[in-house]
Amino acid sequence: MTDAASLVDARNGAISRDIFVDADIYRRELETVFARAWLFVGHESQIPGPGDFYSSRMGEESVILCRDKKGAVHVFLNSCRHRGMKVCRYDQGNTSLFTCPYHSWSYTTEGKLQGVPQYRTLYEGSLNRDDFSLIEVARMKVYKGTVWATWDKEAPEFEAYMGDALVHLDQVLDCRDGRPGGSEVIGVHKWIVPANWKFASENFLGDTYHNPSHRSVDLIGIGPGSKGGQSGRRNDAELEKAEHVWVSFPQGHGVHSAIAGEHNEYAGSYLSDPEIDEYFRDAHEQRKERLGEDARLLPFTGTLFPNTSYHGRQPRGLCVWHPHSPTETEAWRFFLVDADAPEKVKDYLRHYYMRYSGPAGMTEQDDMENWLYATRASTGTIARRHPFNYAQSIGKFTQEGPVAGDVSFQITEQNARNYYQRWATYVDGADWSVLLGQQEVAEAAE
């Protein structure tokens, strides 16, 4: 069995194409990455009341995010303990029982096995219902409305797993006026891409180098708003005036954020509707007042290891790359707005999100074409002999930057090198002290 570490030469920026297409490596990923890491499941706003549920995924497996009758949040494997059929076949809804359509075993929203047809005749004395509850995740965390879970009982606390990357995630989840939390999901796009899931995760680590892919979209101008023929930007105008930083973290996360200027002035992005532009202007000023110097940190994109990415401004949302196979990924985009934003603002953003994202979105089509051809380019007999080049800006980062982590002030592939190095330690079965970056791999082997 090939060590994953031998396929990732982060020091020289050479990464084997095998990690994107090899079936054995993919099976190991499911066991060592998706069965251990903290994974994004959904948002509390999708299950607001008792009995509400939302069908989600963790790796290849279907899970149920739900509230029990007392309002507590649970994440269960969507599989009957009798023969494995899904006990929930709907995307979302409300129920008091999850009933398997195969043999009608039924479960409460607390996961307890309640109904077993012909129980007294066939099972009494031999079946303890308490032993056959739905399989629940080992650990779960609700963080500012988002729900995360892991199957690993030994996994660290969510905050330790996220580390200093949590500061950047906060910028996505917090209200636009600086209040903590307060986001809600207003829609989810789902589609399937014939590409390896890691290409999408890598893209959001901060691959600004690929911007020529979006040249046609930028020329058209599909930003949140434009007026009088002026091209609309794909992202908030504040980002154009800010200092950009690329940051990697020991846990494998990577982000591309920005530091606004000292005065952090608002730059209008919603020129087609003055009322909406005024809403965001007011939110910008309130954020400055609430957060002071911290308000200068602006989110752009990022990936939280292994497969949850985000757009921090516009379009604002979380992206999850669910693996189907080495060469197929199911992409889910959870679009976010402030829960208490005016309906006019929500509707305006909803239309922009659809225009930008997903299989029908003008920008995402460019990315998908890149990812699918990169995957195909990894399957050839000759092509697989030659590793990909990840040598961009090697060594040009500092730990003395404006935010914690390894910081680069220029376009870099350091985030990707760090990501794949951490991926290799997972696949090779490292313990949590290594996975959190608390101990070097060489030290762990001694």
Side-chain angles (χ1 to χ4, degrees):
M1 184 172 63
T2 304
D3 288 341
S6 68
L7 304 175
V8 177
D9 182 359
R11 177 171 298 178
N12 297 302
I15 295 179
S16 171
R17 302 185 191 209
D18 284 346
I19 75 169
F20 301 102
V21 294
D22 185 271
D24 289 335
I25 289 175
Y26 175 74
R27 284 191 289 270
R28 287 164 63 188
E29 285 179 334
L30 296 179
E31 290 284 348
T32 59
V33 178
F34 290 96
R36 298 185 69 191
W38 279 92
L39 305 175
F40 175 74
V41 179
H43 196 282
E44 278 193 302
S45 62
Q46 297 175 287
I47 51 166
D52 288 343
F53 66 85
Y54 180 80
S55 294
S56 189
R57 288 179 52 136
M58 294 176 67
E60 281 191 342
E61 296 173 280
S62 174
V63 297
I64 306 168
L65 169 64
C66 71
R67 284 191 192 274
D68 64 27
K69 60 184 179 182
K70 296 181 180 179
V73 177
H74 299 271
V75 179
F76 301 114
L77 186 67
N78 189 7
S79 177
C80 182
R81 297 297 302 277
H82 182 233
R83 288 296 183 274
M85 176 61 180
K86 285 185 176 182
V87 299
C88 180
R89 294 188 294 167
Y90 299 93
D91 288 342
Q92 61 189 104
N94 182 278
T95 190
S96 58
L97 288 174
F98 296 108
T99 302
C100 175
Y102 195 176
H103 297 98
S104 291
W105 281 26
S106 60
Y107 302 83
T108 69
T109 51
E110 295 174 324
K112 302 297 184 182
L113 176 60
Q114 177 164 302
V116 178
Q118 303 180 64
Y119 174 81
R120 291 186 177 178
T121 303
L122 304 177
Y123 290 105
E124 192 168 28
S126 64
L127 175 67
N128 183 345
R129 299 187 202 204
D130 291 340
D131 293 338
F132 290 91
S133 300
L134 290 177
I135 298 168
E136 191 160 9
V137 293
R139 308 189 74 173
M140 186 198 69
K141 174 70 176 183
V142 179
Y143 182 78
K144 293 188 175 181
T146 55
V147 182
W148 305 75
T150 173
W151 298 110
D152 188 355
K153 294 179 180 179
E154 303 302 319
E157 296 290 336
F158 174 78
E159 289 80 1
Y161 179 86
M162 288 297 170
D164 290 319
L166 206 58
V167 174
H168 301 264
L169 177 61
D170 286 343
Q171 314 306 312
V172 183
L173 303 180
D174 290 347
C175 287
R176 299 298 84 174
D177 61 9
R179 289 172 294 155
S183 64
E184 71 172 3
V185 173
I186 60 168
V188 182
H189 274 178
K190 303 178 184 180
W191 69 99
I192 295 173
V193 188
N196 184 272
W197 65 273
K198 292 188 289 300
F199 280 121
S201 290
E202 172 195 318
N203 192 88
F204 280 78
L205 286 166
D207 180 13
T208 316
Y209 199 57
H210 83 280
N211 277 0
S213 298
H214 302 307
R215 179 168 172 75
S216 59
V217 177
D218 290 334
L219 287 172
I220 293 170
I222 64 160
S226 60
K227 183 178 181 181
Q230 179 178 339
S231 293
R233 304 175 180 87
R234 284 189 294 120
N235 296 287
D236 282 352
E238 282 97 340
L239 294 173
E240 294 189 356
K241 299 180 179 181
E243 178 181 42
H244 287 246
V245 292
W246 290 258
V247 194
S248 58
F249 303 91
Q251 299 87 345
H253 319 307
V255 306
H256 174 187
S257 292
I259 310 297
E262 182 178 354
H263 299 294
N264 193 11
E265 296 179 355
Y266 177 76
S269 294
Y270 308 88
L271 305 178
S272 61
D273 193 311
E275 182 181 347
I276 292 175
D277 195 60
E278 183 58 33
Y279 167 82
F280 281 99
R281 181 185 298 276
D282 181 63
H284 177 88
E285 295 303 324
Q286 288 191 49
R287 186 172 185 268
K288 285 173 59 177
E289 185 175 343
R290 280 193 175 91
L291 303 183
E293 186 71 11
D294 291 340
R296 293 175 61 189
L297 179 62
L298 305 175
F300 190 16
T301 65
T303 290
L304 306 168
F305 190 92
N307 68 325
T308 301
S309 304
Y310 65 75
H311 261 130
R313 304 289 282 182
Q314 305 300 355
R316 177 185 172 197
L318 297 168
C319 320
V320 190
W321 318 108
H322 298 295
H324 273 196
S325 75
T327 57
E328 188 173 87
T329 298
E330 187 168 332
W332 290 18
R333 262 189 182 267
F334 294 75
F335 296 107
L336 299 175
V337 296
D338 285 358
D340 59 3
E343 286 303 315
K344 183 177 182 180
V345 170
K346 293 181 181 180
D347 190 58
Y348 189 95
L349 293 177
R350 182 183 293 109
H351 283 85
Y352 173 57
Y353 294 167
M354 290 189 291
R355 190 164 72 243
Y356 184 105
S357 304
M362 295 180 66
T363 304
E364 205 107 56
Q365 290 184 52
D366 298 332
D367 292 324
M368 288 186 288
E369 188 173 29
N370 292 328
W371 303 337
L372 72 89
Y373 278 110
T375 300
R376 289 180 186 175
S378 303
T379 61
T381 301
I382 303 302
R384 288 175 70 173
R385 299 174 185 174
H386 302 277
F388 286 132
N389 184 305
Y390 283 81
Q392 192 179 97
S393 301
I394 279 186
K396 295 183 179 179
F397 61 87
T398 177
Q399 294 181 335
E400 303 298 326
V403 291
D406 290 339
V407 180
S408 174
F409 294 96
Q410 66 183 44
I411 296 173
T412 181
E413 287 170 340
Q414 170 61 19
N415 289 7
R417 290 189 294 268
N418 177 71
Y419 175 88
Y420 287 120
Q421 188 171 36
R422 181 55 65 232
W423 169 89
T425 59
Y426 271 87
V427 174
D428 287 339
D431 63 30
W432 276 108
S433 64
V434 175
L435 300 180
L436 294 179
Q438 299 168 345
Q439 182 180 11
E440 295 298 327
V441 178
E443 294 175 356
E446 293 178 357

